[in-house]
Amino acid sequence: MEISVVTRSAFKGIGVKWSGTYEQAAKGEIRTVHQKFRNELDQIKNRVNPNIITGLSYHNDANSFTYYLVAEAENLDFIPEGMETISVPSYTFVTSSYEGEQVHEAYTQLHQWIEQNGYILDQDELHYLEEYPVDYNPLTDHPHLKIHIPVKEKE
């Protein structure tokens, strides 16, 4: 697993929002929302990278979180009906690509790398950013994504 540290500039996204429990997510609710959003992507006319869908995870408490699936947009001038906007500030991320069945293992490895390499989590707001290829089918394909965990250097 190749791991790197990258800084990503702030960006604006247009997409859909899901809120629920970890149990609901484990049962596949996010995959269903992801597939529906894939079918609506063409409504977003000002996409910056038409080949990527971005997932943003914001943890609300110990049992629930909010997840956005968005397309990065040049501006927020036109928001398709039923979609929302989000502005994400610049972050430094520990990142790695992953393909397989055990996504949680990739997250565990990334967290171990963070602890061993002089970084700490920077998850006051955003907990995780995931990038999916636009042709990824969450209902039938093995997970294939790029994982980003916000970090900062230990002081």
Side-chain angles (χ1 to χ4, degrees):
M1 180 172 181
E2 187 175 322
I3 298 173
S4 59
V5 177
V6 298
T7 298
R8 182 170 174 159
S9 299
F11 68 94
K12 296 175 182 0
I14 299 173
V16 295
K17 175 180 164 183
W18 175 90
S19 292
T21 66
Y22 295 102
E23 183 179 331
Q24 289 171 301
K27 289 181 179 178
E29 285 189 23
I30 292 176
R31 289 193 303 269
T32 303
V33 171
H34 189 144
Q35 182 63 21
K36 183 176 182 295
F37 179 61
R38 280 184 65 225
N39 295 333
E40 298 171 349
L41 269 175
D42 290 341
Q43 294 179 40
I44 303 170
K45 302 299 183 197
N46 57 347
R47 288 185 281 163
V48 171
N49 186 344
N51 299 316
I52 299 292
I53 294 174
T54 302
L56 302 160
S57 183
Y58 295 86
H59 295 218
N60 302 329
D61 56 40
N63 298 315
S64 67
F65 67 106
T66 299
Y67 194 77
Y68 292 86
L69 284 160
V70 302
E72 187 175 342
E74 290 177 25
N75 57 57
L76 303 178
D77 294 346
F78 174 74
I79 313 306
E81 186 175 332
M83 292 195 189
E84 300 195 19
T85 64
I86 189 167
S87 294
V88 180
S90 177
Y91 278 100
T92 297
F93 292 102
V94 167
T95 185
S96 185
S97 294
Y98 178 80
E99 186 169 358
E101 282 295 317
Q102 305 299 321
V103 177
H104 66 280
E105 289 179 9
Y107 275 97
T108 298
Q109 289 179 16
L110 285 168
H111 280 278
Q112 289 170 347
W113 188 96
I114 290 165
E115 290 177 20
Q116 296 167 358
N117 288 275
Y119 291 91
I120 58 173
L121 298 176
D122 184 16
Q123 296 178 319
D124 291 338
E125 292 186 27
L126 177 66
H127 274 68
Y128 303 107
L129 184 149
E130 300 168 334
E131 292 178 330
Y132 298 90
V134 73
D135 61 354
Y136 166 69
N137 183 327
L139 301 178
T140 59
D141 297 345
H142 293 298
H144 177 89
L145 66 153
K146 192 169 193 178
I147 300 167
H148 303 269
I149 301 175
V151 296
K152 56 187 173 185
E153 289 187 34
K154 286 183 185 175
E155 297 178 6

